[in-house]
Amino acid sequence: STMQTLVYENYSRFIDATDAIKSIGIHVQANDDGLTKLASKMERVDLCSKETEQALGALRDQVAEKIRVKRLLSRLSSLLELPQTLRLQIAQGKYRTATKNYLSARTILANHSQGFESLKTIETECTGILQNMKQLLTRKLHHWNGMILEDGNKHSDNDTDLLEPPKTMHEIFECVGTLYILLQDQPPTNNLREGEEKDESLQELGTATATATTTALNKEELQSMAMGAATRALDRILDAHMIQVQEHR
C-alpha cells in the first residue's frame, strides 16, 4: 500500500520524466543530422580552400615579390634623398632627427657603397653634413655659455644665427641631446683587420665616419654646459620681464 501511495502521489512526475527522456532522444538524433551536414560542408570548404590555394598561390608569390621590391626601392629612394633630407631637418632645427636618420643609414651605405659611386658620393656628402652640424652645435653651446671656441676654422661674418642666444629651452637641449647621441655612437671602424686587408675606400669611409661622430665634449661637460646655457637663458628672460614690468609702471 505504501508503494501504491508513493506511485499515485508522484505519477505526474514520472510522466514528465518519461517525456523529457523521449525529448532528449529526439534532440540528439536531430543534432546528429546537423553535425553530419556540418562535416559535409566543412569538407567542401576545405576543398574550395585547396583549389583557391592552387589557383592563386603563384599570384601570391608574385605579389609578395613585388612588395619586397617596392620596399627596397623605397629604401633606395630614402638613401638617394638623404643629403637633402638632412639639410632640411638641420635647417628646421631637428638636429636629433637628422642624426638618427644618418646613423640608421650609415651601416647600409658602408656595406653597399663599394662598387657604387653614387652611394659612395652620398655617404661622403652625408658625413660632411654631420661634421658641419657637429661643429656648429659645439660652437653654439660654447657661445651660449659665454665661451669662445677656437676650432681653427674660418667662419662667415654673417653667421648671425650662431651668435644669437637660444630662443627656447628646447633649442638648448636639442643641441645638447644631438651631441650626446654622437658621443654615445661607436662606429665599427676597429674591426677592419681580421687577417685580410680591406678595401682602401672602406678604410677611408670608417675614418670619415669616426670623425663625424666624435665630439670633444664628454658627458659631464655636456650636462654642465646645458645647465649653464639654460641658466643664462633664464636670466635673460627674467631681465626682459623686469624691464617690461618697469616700463608699464
Side-chain angles (χ1 to χ4, degrees), residues 18-34:
T18 302
D19 293 340
I21 293 173
K22 291 180 180 179
S23 176
I24 291 174
I26 294 173
H27 290 163
V28 169
Q29 184 177 3
N31 288 336
D32 287 341
D33 295 338

Side-chain angles (χ1 to χ4, degrees), residues 134-245:
K134 185 196 68 174
Q135 294 173 1
L136 174 63
L137 297 183
T138 303
R139 290 165 56 211
K140 273 189 174 185
L141 194 57
H142 280 80
H143 276 286
W144 292 344
N145 279 270
M147 296 182 289
I148 299 176
L149 179 61
E150 297 293 341
D151 55 4
N153 296 325
K154 294 182 179 180
H155 306 294
S156 172
D157 294 335
N158 297 324
D159 195 2
T160 56
D161 180 64
L162 172 64
L163 301 178
E164 290 181 357
K167 298 179 179 62
T168 61
M169 292 293 140
H170 173 76
E171 186 176 357
I172 296 174
F173 290 100
E174 181 75 18
C175 172
V176 175
T178 302
L179 293 176
Y180 183 75
I181 292 175
L182 294 175
L183 177 65
Q184 294 298 307
D185 178 60
Q186 298 293 335
T189 59
N190 295 327
N191 297 327
L192 293 178
R193 296 179 181 177
E194 295 180 356
E196 296 181 359
E197 291 185 1
K198 301 297 182 180
D199 191 281
E200 182 179 355
S201 61
L202 289 179
Q203 294 180 356
E204 293 176 355
L205 173 61
T207 303
T209 305
T211 303
T213 54
T214 303
T215 177
L217 299 175
N218 57 36
K219 178 180 177 181
E220 289 73 18
E221 291 172 334
L222 284 174
Q223 292 176 344
S224 176
M225 296 187 77
M227 297 305 298
T231 301
R232 290 168 63 91
L234 289 174
D235 289 340
R236 284 192 296 269
I237 294 173
L238 291 175
D239 291 342
H241 179 69
M242 290 297 297
I243 293 174
Q244 291 178 356
V245 172

Side-chain angles (χ1 to χ4, degrees), residues 3 9 37 64 73 75 85 90 95 100 107 110 115 122 129 141 150 169 190 192 196 199 210 228 238-239 247 249:
M3 293 297 296
E9 291 177 352
K37 293 179 180 180
L73 291 175
R75 292 178 182 176
T85 301
I90 292 173
Y95 305 119
K100 291 177 181 178
T107 303
I122 291 173
I129 293 173
L141 194 57
E150 297 293 341
M169 292 293 140
N190 295 327
L192 293 178
E196 296 181 359
D199 191 281
L238 291 175
D239 291 342
E247 290 177 349
R249 286 182 179 179

Side-chain angles (χ1 to χ4, degrees), residues 14-188:
F14 289 137
I15 297 300
D16 292 340
T18 302
D19 293 340
I21 293 173
K22 291 180 180 179
S23 176
I24 291 174
I26 294 173
H27 290 163
V28 169
Q29 184 177 3
N31 288 336
D32 287 341
D33 295 338
L35 291 174
T36 301
K37 293 179 180 180
L38 177 61
S40 177
K41 292 181 180 180
M42 290 297 296
E43 290 178 358
R44 287 202 297 265
V45 169
D46 183 61
L47 179 61
C48 292
S49 176
K50 291 179 179 179
E51 292 177 351
T52 303
E53 176 72 18
Q54 292 176 355
L56 301 179
L59 294 177
R60 180 194 60 193
D61 295 339
Q62 293 177 9
V63 171
E65 178 65 17
K66 290 180 179 179
I67 293 175
R68 187 185 70 83
V69 172
K70 182 180 178 181
R71 289 175 179 171
L72 291 176
L73 291 175
S74 178
R75 292 178 182 176
L76 179 59
S77 177
S78 299
L79 289 177
L80 295 176
E81 297 174 357
L82 185 59
Q84 180 180 355
T85 301
L86 294 180
R87 291 191 181 94
L88 178 61
Q89 291 172 341
I90 292 173
Q92 294 174 344
K94 300 178 181 178
Y95 305 119
R96 284 181 295 179
T97 302
T99 302
K100 291 177 181 178
N101 287 339
Y102 167 77
L103 293 178
S104 63
R106 183 186 61 189
T107 303
I108 299 176
L109 290 171
N111 291 336
H112 300 285
S113 61
Q114 186 179 10
F116 295 93
E117 190 63 29
S118 59
L119 292 181
K120 190 172 183 180
T121 301
I122 291 173
E123 197 282 334
T124 303
E125 186 176 0
C126 292
T127 299
I129 293 173
L130 261 290
Q131 286 177 333
N132 294 334
M133 184 195 72
K134 185 196 68 174
Q135 294 173 1
L136 174 63
L137 297 183
T138 303
R139 290 165 56 211
K140 273 189 174 185
L141 194 57
H142 280 80
H143 276 286
W144 292 344
N145 279 270
M147 296 182 289
I148 299 176
L149 179 61
E150 297 293 341
D151 55 4
N153 296 325
K154 294 182 179 180
H155 306 294
S156 172
D157 294 335
N158 297 324
D159 195 2
T160 56
D161 180 64
L162 172 64
L163 301 178
E164 290 181 357
K167 298 179 179 62
T168 61
M169 292 293 140
H170 173 76
E171 186 176 357
I172 296 174
F173 290 100
E174 181 75 18
C175 172
V176 175
T178 302
L179 293 176
Y180 183 75
I181 292 175
L182 294 175
L183 177 65
Q184 294 298 307
D185 178 60
Q186 298 293 335

